[in-house]
Amino acid sequence: MRKDLQNRKDVHLLITSFYKKVRKNPEIGYFFNNSINNWDAHLSRLTDFWESNLFFAGTYSGNPQRAHVKVDYEHQGKIDGRHFGIWLNLWFETIDELFKGELAERAKHNARKMSTHLYIKVFQSRRPQKG
C-alpha cells in the first residue's frame, strides 16, 4: 500500500528511483549523463531541493535556473519542450508507483510549475542580448 511522502528518506527514495529512469531514458538520459560528473552528490543536492520544496526544510541552496541554462548551452540549445515533457512524465510515473497523498500531489504540481518556468528561462537565454 502506497503512503504519502513523509520525510527526507521518502524524498531520497523518490529521487533515486526517478533518476534511475532518467539516466536510462533514450531521449533525455544523454543530457544528464553527459552533464553530471558526481551522481551521488547530485542526488543528495536534489534530495535537498525536494525536501526543501515539500517540507520547507531549508536544506537546499543553489540556482536551478542557471544550472539548466548552462546545460542547454553546453548541448548547443538542443533541449526542447518535449524533453521537459518526458522528464515530467517520468516524475509523475515514479511518484505514482511509490506514493499517494497530498504531498505526492504537491510534488507533481510543483514539478509542473518548475518545468514550465525552467523551459521558458532556457528558451529566453537563447535570444541575443540587446544593448
Side-chain angles (χ1 to χ4, degrees):
M1 186 165 147
R2 293 176 297 145
K3 62 179 179 69
D4 205 355
L5 291 146
Q6 297 177 351
N7 52 43
R8 182 178 178 85
K9 182 179 174 185
D10 290 342
V11 173
H12 183 70
L13 174 62
L14 172 59
I15 294 302
T16 56
S17 300
F18 170 67
Y19 278 97
K20 283 180 187 174
K21 293 179 183 185
V22 167
R23 292 179 76 181
K24 292 178 185 175
N25 184 278
E27 295 182 79
I28 66 172
Y30 170 83
F31 298 111
F32 291 88
N33 293 321
N34 288 295
S35 300
I36 298 166
N37 297 318
N38 183 337
W39 272 97
D40 289 338
H42 189 67
L43 295 173
S44 179
R45 175 173 228 139
L46 291 170
T47 299
D48 290 346
F49 175 84
W50 283 101
E51 180 186 30
S52 295
N53 187 287
L54 296 172
F55 299 109
F56 311 106
T59 52
Y60 177 76
S61 65
N63 187 328
Q65 179 180 314
R66 183 174 34 225
H68 286 80
V69 167
K70 179 178 182 266
V71 169
D72 182 62
Y73 177 79
E74 291 170 350
H75 289 91
Q76 294 78 44
K78 292 182 182 172
I79 297 175
D80 62 31
R82 184 175 49 86
H83 297 120
F84 279 90
I86 294 166
W87 181 94
L88 200 56
N89 285 335
L90 291 173
W91 181 250
F92 280 27
E93 176 185 290
T94 307
I95 290 172
D96 288 341
E97 288 170 357
L98 298 172
F99 301 100
K100 74 174 186 175
E102 182 182 338
L103 286 174
E105 292 305 312
R106 186 185 311 160
K108 292 179 195 176
H109 174 77
N110 291 357
R112 186 180 301 113
K113 285 182 6 182
M114 180 183 67
S115 66
T116 300
H117 173 79
L118 290 174
Y119 177 66
I120 289 168
K121 293 302 181 182
V122 163
F123 183 76
Q124 287 174 335
S125 74
R126 296 176 188 166
R127 294 186 306 190
Q129 300 299 316
K130 293 182 181 179

